[in-house]
Every structure is written in C-alpha cells, then in structure tokens.
Amino acid sequence: MEEQKTEYEAAENNLTADGLRPVSTLQDDAPSDENRRGFLKTAGIAALASVVSVPFSRFFPEGLQPVGLAHAAGGDMDAYAFKDQLTLLNDRPINAETAAHLLDDRVTPANRLFIRNNGQVPEHALNMDASDWKLTIDGEVDKTIELTLDELKSNFENVTRQLVLECGGNGRAFFVPGASGNQWTTGAVGAPEWTGVRMRDVLNAAGVKPSAVYTGHYGNDPHLSGDPEKVAISRGVPIEKAMEEDALIVWAMNGEDLPAIHGFPLRTIVPGYPGSASQKWLTRIWVRDQVHDGPKMGGYSYRMPAYPVAPGTEVPTEDMVIMTTMPVKSLITSPATGTQMTGKTLDIRGHTWADGDVASVHVSHDFGQTWQEAKLEKPVNRYAWQHFSATIELPQAGYYEIWSRATDMEGRTQPVTTPGWNPRGYGNNMVHRIAVLAG
Ligand SMILES: Nc1nc2c(c(=O)[nH]1)N[C@H]1C(S)=C(S)[C@@H](COP(=O)(O)O)O[C@H]1N2
Ligand SMILES: [Mo]
C-alpha cells in the first residue's frame, strides 16, 4: 500500500460526489510541500473555527488553539483536545465525527473515535478521578448490589473484545428532506478494543428476576441546562440483549483507561445496537419490569416509524418503535475521497460490519452498473468490523466514484440510496461512495 500512496496526489479541485465533503485537503500523508503540511495540521482548528468563527485560524501554528475557543464549552473542550482531525459538528454538547480515511486503522485509536455527547462531560471524568466510583445494580434483581471499580475488575472474568460502536444517526446528513440532529455523514462509527466484564455476569451476581424485561442505564453526565434534576440521556436494551455474551461493561479502550470524553471510568458497550445503548460514565443499571422509559427512549428519539412513511411525514409518536439492531454497512478507508492517482489501477480497502458477520462486499466504479467482489477477512471476534480490499482496473483516465456495498448473512444488502426516511434520520446504511481522479 505504501507504494500506491506515494503515487497519489490530493486533487486540488475539490473532487466530490454528491453529498460528499472533499476530504482530500485533510489527507495528511499525500502532499509534500511545507505550507500544505502546515495547513493540514491545523485543519482540526479550522474545523473548530468554523463553529465559532475565528478568522485566519487555519494559519495558526500547530497545537495553538485560537483564544477563547478552549473554553467555548468549559472543560469539555480540553477533554476533546487529544482528538486527531475530527470534524466538530457541535461544541455544546461536543459532537464530532471522523473522516472515512482517518478510520483506516484496523483497530480505531482513541484519538480518532467519534464523540456523541448529549450533556456535559462530568467533572470527575475531566479530573480522571475514579476514587469514589460505584456501580449500582437494582430493580428487578434479588438483591441490590453496589460495586467499586476494583470489585468489578477482580470479581468477574475480564474480557477484551474489538466491538463496533456506531451512532444510530450515522448517515443522517444524506436524508432528504433533512432531519434535525447532528449532521453525521459517515464518521459516527469506530471499532476500538474494549476491556471489561460481561454485563450478564454482573446482572447475575445481583440475581435477575423472571420479571426483568429491560435494562435502564444511567451515567452521571450533567444535563446541558446544568439542572441536577435532569438526566441527559438514559437508554437501555431488552434483557435478552443485555445477557448476550458480548454486551459488556468496560473500563478500558485499546488497553488504556477510557478517555474522559468516552465515559471514564466506566461504560456499557452493547454491540449491534445503536451507540446510545452504550452508556458512558455508567453509575447504575436499573433492571426494569417494563420497557425502559428514561430520557431519549420515547418520542422520535432512537425510534423509527412502525410502517414505511413518505419523506417529510409527521409521524404520530405512538406509531414509532424503538430501534434495535443496526443495519449492514461498509466504509472505504483508503484512498481518501478526492484522491488523484497517476495510474489506472486502484487498490482500495475498508471495513464492513453488521449485526453478525458480513457475507460479502462488492465494489463498483461505474455507479453500480457493474460490481466486483472484494476480498473479505473474517472478524477477530463477533461484532468486530471486518476488513475488505479490492484492486480495481479503471477503464480509462477520468473521474470515478468508487462505491462499496456489503451484504449480511440474511442476504440484506446496502441500498444505493437512502433507505426508509424517518423523522430523525436514523439507520442510513446506503453504499459508501468516494470520488477519485485517474490518470
Ligand atoms: N452518559 C451518556 N452516555 C452516552 C451518551 C451520552 O450523551 N451520555 N451518548 C450516547 C450515544 S447517542 C452514542 S452514539 C455513544 C457515543 O459514544 P462515544 O462518544 O464514546 O463515541 O454514547 C452513548 N452513551
Ligand atoms: Mo448516538
């Protein structure tokens, strides 16, 4: 791959496919001249500046934040500072996504994992202080239990798994008419390696009663309003999902403590479900005898129409049902969209995931008129993403879109356009598209 990379030049002419932002200008390994590098390294700042409008911020020296920006969202911005070139969609609460080519690593590094916050980062997390941390399991259990972090780590079998975390709203930006919420394009997804314990082991230690039907997860992130009575978000999953082998309570990402902004010291990871089931700053799991009704479980939040609706329909909320499994998807992570190549032979690679294994990935260079099967690797474990690669011989010099389309074990495949419009723009798993110039 190294060789191919050096053949590429980032296109200067903002190559885009419809709905694709040009990310060629963010590619950190392609251009060589010094000015350009300077620009590239401050691209993150430029992205920040676009939110609060700091003129000329793109010329700031590397590592320097424009004055006033660091405290735009209190200490939360400090907790964000370690991120590498994410696209900031909102700074209060912080929401940021990762350009596809920055997700090229097999295991997503912490500094390239998207951020989805509904509230503020709690103070104890900002200070990386877990000394008084306790996790409570209560509700439909034989006995309420309270565990310290040390007890959690030593009383249960520790497991390490690579698991995909994806926001239910990933892809929202492509729906027409648009849906309110963070305008995620393709980057609200990642697959770090998580270490923790199985949720079921912890629930079983409390003794799950037959009356249990759902979990309710609580963290201690302050509501945006600062009102201590208000909960930023509290979602849960059917008890059968919580009892699955790969539903975890974790304290580490890629072998290190969870970063403050990703839930230090503890969070759930419920793979296969929308990311909102993976509660950060976890303090309590309330086992419920009914479907959990915490904030963001009702209305249009993480819910889809029970039947197909015409785009723009005002669906009555009683006709909305809770999203469960996330659909099959793929992402081309190399080359970056907007790449200009010198030859006509294109090596591409990326990741694919589903609720279970992916059966196949196909790629197209002609808008889906013909498809070629990609090489697909097995996942390192269930719910990890799988890697695919392909060599595409382009017929002649010119502009191409490269599409990737994955198919799951049930034969469900990614649509070439946005699937089922819904009020909040969830579950968009349309094919991934990048643009390249050949020759
Ligand atoms: N306590 C708490 N947990 C939370 C959230 C939140 O705002 N507060 N956001 C949820 C949503 S919607 C998503 S997609 C994931 C994002 O996890 P990340 O920020 O670590 O990528 O966290 C989930 N867990
Ligand atoms: Mo989310």
Side-chain angles (χ1 to χ4, degrees):
M1 289 315 295
E2 272 320 297
E3 201 180 306
Q4 181 175 350
K5 270 188 185 163
T6 57
E7 268 184 37
Y8 289 142
E9 266 177 57
E12 297 292 336
N13 54 350
N14 283 0
L15 269 188
T16 57
D18 179 34
L20 286 180
R21 284 174 302 106
V23 291
S24 59
T25 49
L26 297 176
Q27 199 176 15
D28 58 6
D29 53 1
S32 56
D33 84 87
E34 274 312 305
N35 284 340
R36 196 160 171 83
R37 273 199 188 285
F39 167 73
L40 291 165
K41 290 198 172 154
T42 52
I45 289 176
L48 289 178
S50 68
V51 175
V52 292
S53 177
V54 178
F56 311 119
S57 63
R58 67 194 189 94
F59 301 119
F60 279 35
E62 184 189 347
L64 260 195
Q65 289 202 350
V67 180
L69 201 59
H71 297 289
D76 294 16
M77 227 50 214
D78 294 339
Y80 174 77
F82 78 110
K83 289 291 175 176
D84 179 23
Q85 303 176 61
L86 263 59
T87 309
L88 195 65
L89 302 179
N90 191 351
D91 68 349
R92 190 181 163 81
I94 294 183
N95 285 282
E97 72 169 336
T98 318
H101 70 284
L102 297 175
L103 285 172
D104 193 42
D105 296 88
R106 290 180 162 247
V107 177
T108 309
N111 65 359
R112 289 187 171 176
L113 181 65
F114 79 101
I115 298 164
R116 194 326 182 205
N117 285 352
N118 288 267
Q120 306 173 51
V121 179
E123 198 65 34
H124 74 86
L126 292 173
N127 301 329
M128 296 300 274
D129 173 14
S131 45
D132 296 329
W133 200 263
K134 286 218 173 63
L135 172 65
T136 303
I137 312 294
D138 64 350
E140 302 302 304
V141 290
D142 296 332
K143 55 176 189 309
T144 296
I145 56 172
E146 245 188 23
L147 297 160
T148 64
L149 213 48
D150 284 343
E151 286 168 339
L152 199 71
K153 291 178 183 181
S154 53
N155 295 2
F156 304 93
E157 186 191 339
N158 290 195
V159 293
T160 296
R161 293 270 189 283
Q162 185 186 5
L163 303 169
V164 170
L165 178 70
E166 181 180 18
C167 183
N170 197 21
R172 173 179 295 136
F174 303 117
F175 279 104
V176 179
S180 68
N182 288 294
Q183 295 304 299
W184 306 113
T185 62
T186 60
V189 64
E193 196 179 76
W194 311 94
T195 299
V197 295
R198 292 188 186 94
M199 198 184 288
R200 72 172 177 211
D201 291 349
V202 179
L203 296 180
N204 283 336
V208 178
K209 288 186 174 167
S211 52
V213 300
Y214 231 84
T215 56
H217 310 157
Y218 287 86
N220 70 348
D221 41 333
H223 191 267
L224 269 194
S225 65
D227 182 345
E229 301 299 312
K230 287 191 177 156
V231 172
I233 183 172
S234 172
R235 304 198 68 251
V237 295
I239 194 74
E240 305 75 46
K241 182 68 188 176
M243 300 299 271
E244 257 190 18
E245 178 170 13
D246 296 301
L248 306 182
I249 298 173
V250 306
W251 54 80
M253 182 198 293
N254 300 335
E256 293 185 33
D257 284 350
L258 289 174
I261 210 158
H262 292 295
F264 176 89
L266 213 56
R267 75 178 300 169
T268 61
I269 292 290
V270 184
Y273 267 43
S276 51
S278 296
Q279 191 85 27
K280 301 193 277 190
W281 309 291
L282 183 73
T283 55
R284 177 188 182 202
I285 298 179
W286 180 17
V287 181
R288 306 294 312 266
D289 62 0
Q290 59 168 81
V291 174
H292 185 51
D293 52 1
K296 311 238 163 157
M297 284 298 295
Y300 283 166
S301 295
Y302 306 100
R303 301 210 303 169
M304 302 278 252
Y307 44 84
V309 302
T313 304
E314 277 187 43
V315 186
T317 52
E318 60 269 26
D319 290 354
M320 302 290 289
V321 293
I322 299 172
M323 276 181 91
T324 56
T325 55
M326 295 286 285
V328 62
K329 219 153 163 178
S330 61
L331 195 67
I332 301 166
T333 59
S334 178
T337 193
T339 292
Q340 177 146 29
M341 36 187 297
T342 49
K344 288 182 299 196
T345 302
L346 176 64
D347 286 326
I348 68 159
R349 61 172 181 263
H351 316 296
T352 177
W353 61 98
D355 178 40
D357 285 6
V358 171
S360 63
V361 174
H362 289 80
V363 296
S364 176
H365 66 271
D366 54 11
F367 302 90
Q369 295 175 90
T370 62
W371 293 93
Q372 155 187 350
E373 184 159 8
K375 190 169 153 274
L376 179 63
E377 296 180 27
K378 295 232 174 308
V380 292
N381 52 247
R382 192 172 180 213
Y383 294 120
W385 57 22
Q386 296 168 243
H387 313 293
F388 68 87
S389 57
T391 299
I392 302 173
E393 298 296 342
L394 298 170
Q396 60 181 67
Y399 172 87
Y400 293 89
E401 277 192 26
I402 308 300
W403 293 9
S404 69
R405 189 192 74 192
T407 304
D408 71 14
M409 290 298 180
E410 268 87 71
R412 290 172 298 208
T413 195
Q414 291 183 257
V416 298
T417 185
T418 47
W421 186 94
N422 61 96
R424 284 285 163 81
Y426 294 118
N428 178 10
N429 70 329
M430 67 193 287
V431 295
H432 185 219
R433 302 154 61 184
I434 64 164
V436 298
L437 263 190

